[in-house]
Amino acid sequence: MRGTFRKLLALLIIWAVSGVGVASTVFVARRGWHVDVGIDATELAPPLASAAAALPGAKYLFFGFGDRHYLLAKTHNAPVLLAALWPGAGMVLVTALSTSPEAAFGGDQVISLNLSAEQMQALQSFIWNTLDTRGGPLTVYAPGPYPGSVYFAASTKYSALRTCNTWVAQALRTSGLRIRTGGVVFAGQVWSRVRRIKRTQPAPAAGELP
């Protein structure tokens, strides 16, 4: 009887330890020439959770970084494109989804990565620190380019050396994922590195989130 109790106790300890800190998913979506990172709205924690207030009813929020002048320009001609290569004010586009990321962007354009609770916290801190709150509450800078999206001012400058795709690689690396950020400029570069990470992660068990 005592031996059986010890075995049950050992199994409970193993079960508890194996599940510590492992509960989150970050979604990486390729949207043409740039990449966004997405988080289930129920996993957003303060202070980043305040971003959801501008987009009520969202099931997922996707965050993307860009050049403020370029994103707000009415036309994206050559002078506007060239100007974005020089350091300038940044902007964060937040897109709300009422459906799954795969349904919104296409299954082959979304990669889900496993994060521990600590890694998710680090990821959200990175995103929050990119936003320009000037010590006050987070406020919308401008409406986004389509329904269910808004722009927030960024505290980080955009340039040819820190593009939207560089920012995503840095966000994932800050969360603790093994991804090289050096030389990342284009979507294809960060996408191939994210796919490599996906191949190294174990497949979710039955009943777990993807």
Side-chain angles (χ1 to χ4, degrees), residues 27 60 63 65 83 87-88 96 107 115 125 127 139 145 147-148 167 175 187 193 204:
F27 298 90
Y60 299 89
F63 301 84
F65 178 67
L115 295 183
S125 294
I127 297 173
T139 56
W167 180 83
S175 75
R193 298 178 190 190

Side-chain angles (χ1 to χ4, degrees), residues 19 46 72 81 116 130 136 152 163 198 205:
L72 296 182
L81 289 170
S116 67
T130 301
F152 291 107
T163 68
K198 180 65 175 179

Side-chain angles (χ1 to χ4, degrees), residues 10-11 18 71 78 100 108 113 128 143 148 153 177 194-195 197 201 206:
L11 288 173
S18 64
L71 290 175
S100 70
D108 60 344
L113 300 174
W128 176 256
L177 295 174
V194 170
R195 291 179 65 183
I197 295 173
Q201 292 194 334

Side-chain angles (χ1 to χ4, degrees), residues 137-177:
L138 182 64
T139 56
V140 173
Y141 186 89
Y146 34 76
S149 66
V150 294
Y151 285 123
F152 291 107
S155 60
T156 304
K157 290 186 178 296
Y158 181 97
S159 72
L161 298 178
R162 193 177 195 185
T163 68
C164 49
N165 304 307
T166 314
W167 180 83
V168 168
Q170 292 173 337
L172 296 176
R173 184 174 180 85
T174 298
S175 75
L177 295 174

Side-chain angles (χ1 to χ4, degrees), residues 176-207:
L177 295 174
R178 296 176 63 85
I179 180 171
R180 291 188 297 107
T181 60
V184 172
V185 176
F186 303 109
Q189 292 174 294
V190 65
W191 191 248
S192 63
R193 298 178 190 190
V194 170
R195 291 179 65 183
R196 193 175 300 121
I197 295 173
K198 180 65 175 179
R199 289 195 295 268
T200 65
Q201 292 194 334

Side-chain angles (χ1 to χ4, degrees), residues 39-111:
I39 302 172
D40 189 314
T42 62
E43 292 195 46
L44 290 170
L48 188 59
S50 60
L55 298 161
K59 292 184 177 179
Y60 299 89
L61 288 187
F62 274 75
F63 301 84
F65 178 67
D67 178 79
R68 186 181 305 178
H69 178 67
Y70 175 85
L71 290 175
L72 296 182
K74 294 182 178 180
T75 58
H76 295 154
N77 52 26
V80 173
L81 289 170
L82 290 174
L85 299 177
W86 300 99
M91 186 86 81
V92 175
L93 170 64
V94 181
T95 304
L97 301 184
S98 58
T99 185
S100 70
E102 292 80 6
F105 303 120
D108 60 344
Q109 300 300 308
V110 177
I111 297 175

